[in-house]
Amino acid sequence: QKEVEQNSGPLSVPEGAIASLNCTYSDRVSQSFFWYRQYSGKSPELIMSIYSNGDKEDGRFTAQLNKASQYVSLLIRDSQPSDSATYLCAAYRVDSNYQLIWGAGTKLIIKP
Amino acid sequence: NAGVTQTPKFQVLKTGQSMTLQCAQDMNHNSMYWYRQDPGMGLRLIYYSASEGTTDKGEVPNGYNVSRLNKREFSLRLESAAPSQTSVYFCASWPELAGADTQYFGPGTRLTVL
C-alpha cells in the first residue's frame, strides 16, 4: 500500500454541488494531514490541515479525518468553477517531522 | 516580502549537461526542501535541509546534489542530466513554529532534458 493514496480522477462535479475528495493512508504516516490545491502550472497552496478525528470546517471547505478507517476527506460545498484544480493530500512521515509524503492528487473539474 | 523565489523558470538541457537550480527565501525559515513533480506521481522529496549547514536525502536523491549556502539559499545541482530528470522542480521552506502548518512553495522550475 502506498503511504498516501488518492484517486487521480478527474472528478467532475456540477457547479453548486458538493465535491468530495478522498485520501487513504498507511501506518507509515503521522496523524497530521494537509490538503493543498494546485492550479495548472502553479505551485501548491495549503487549503486545510487536520490533526484530530472528526470534522474541521473553514468556509466552504470541510476536512474529515477517520483514524479507524485511515482516510481523510475534503468536502467543497457550493462548488465554483474557480475550484477546478488538482487537490493534493499530504502527511508527515511517521519517523520524520520534516518529510511530507504526498498523494498523486485528484483533478477536480467543476462544470458550469 | 518575495517569499520563495526560484531561478530559472524554464530550462532545456541536453543529456550529460550540468546545471544548478537556485532557491532563496526571505522569511527567515530554518527548513528548506527540493521536490520534483511528475505527471500522476505527486510531489517527491529530493533533499531537504533542516537548518543552515545540514542537508539530508529524501525519497529520490540519486543524480542530485544540494548546497545550503546560508539560511536564505538552497541550491539543487544536476551534475550530468538525464532524460529521466525531466520534471517540474519546486523549492519550499517551512518556519518550524508551533502552529505553522504549511510549507511555502516557490513558483517552480520546468526542466526538460533531451
Side-chain angles (χ1 to χ4, degrees), chain A residues 36 38 41 43 49 51 98 102, chain B residues 33 37 101-103 106 110:
Chain A
Y36 282 77
Q38 186 176 27
S43 54
S49 59
Y51 305 104
Y98 294 98
W102 298 78
Chain B
Y33 304 79
Q37 186 174 35
D101 278 346
T102 187
Q103 295 185 4
R110 282 146 186 81

Side-chain angles (χ1 to χ4, degrees), chain A residues 2-3 34 36 38 40-46 48-49 51 56 88 92-93 96-105, chain B residues 31 33 35 37 40-45 48 50 57-59 90 94 96 99-108 110:
Chain A
K2 290 184 181 179
E3 289 157 312
F34 307 88
Y36 282 77
Q38 186 176 27
S40 181
K42 301 296 185 182
S43 54
E45 55 178 337
L46 183 70
M48 295 278 289
S49 59
Y51 305 104
K56 179 182 177 183
L88 301 165
Y92 280 106
R93 192 184 294 279
S96 171
N97 288 335
Y98 294 98
Q99 295 194 41
L100 270 177
I101 303 299
W102 298 78
Chain B
S31 300
Y33 304 79
Y35 292 97
Q37 186 174 35
M41 297 189 72
L43 289 158
R44 292 185 291 170
L45 183 65
Y48 68 99
K57 295 179 180 179
E59 187 182 353
F90 288 104
W94 181 44
E96 281 186 73
D101 278 346
T102 187
Q103 295 185 4
Y104 294 79
F105 284 84
R110 282 146 186 81

Side-chain angles (χ1 to χ4, degrees), chain A residues 37-72:
Chain A
R37 178 176 63 200
Q38 186 176 27
Y39 292 114
S40 181
K42 301 296 185 182
S43 54
E45 55 178 337
L46 183 70
I47 298 295
M48 295 278 289
S49 59
I50 186 165
Y51 305 104
S52 305
N53 237 6
D55 296 359
K56 179 182 177 183
E57 188 173 318
D58 183 1
R60 295 187 297 112
F61 298 94
T62 299
Q64 299 176 319
L65 175 58
N66 184 320
K67 294 184 180 181
S69 301
Q70 293 187 296
Y71 78 80
V72 58

Side-chain angles (χ1 to χ4, degrees), chain B residues 25-38:
Chain B
Q25 51 93 7
D26 61 1
M27 297 175 284
N28 203 36
H29 292 172
N30 283 325
S31 300
M32 297 185 73
Y33 304 79
W34 275 107
Y35 292 97
R36 61 177 288 173
Q37 186 174 35
D38 302 300

Side-chain angles (χ1 to χ4, degrees), chain A residues 7-23:
Chain A
N7 187 320
S8 61
L11 175 65
S12 186
V13 173
E15 183 176 358
I18 296 175
S20 178
L21 302 157
N22 298 312
C23 173

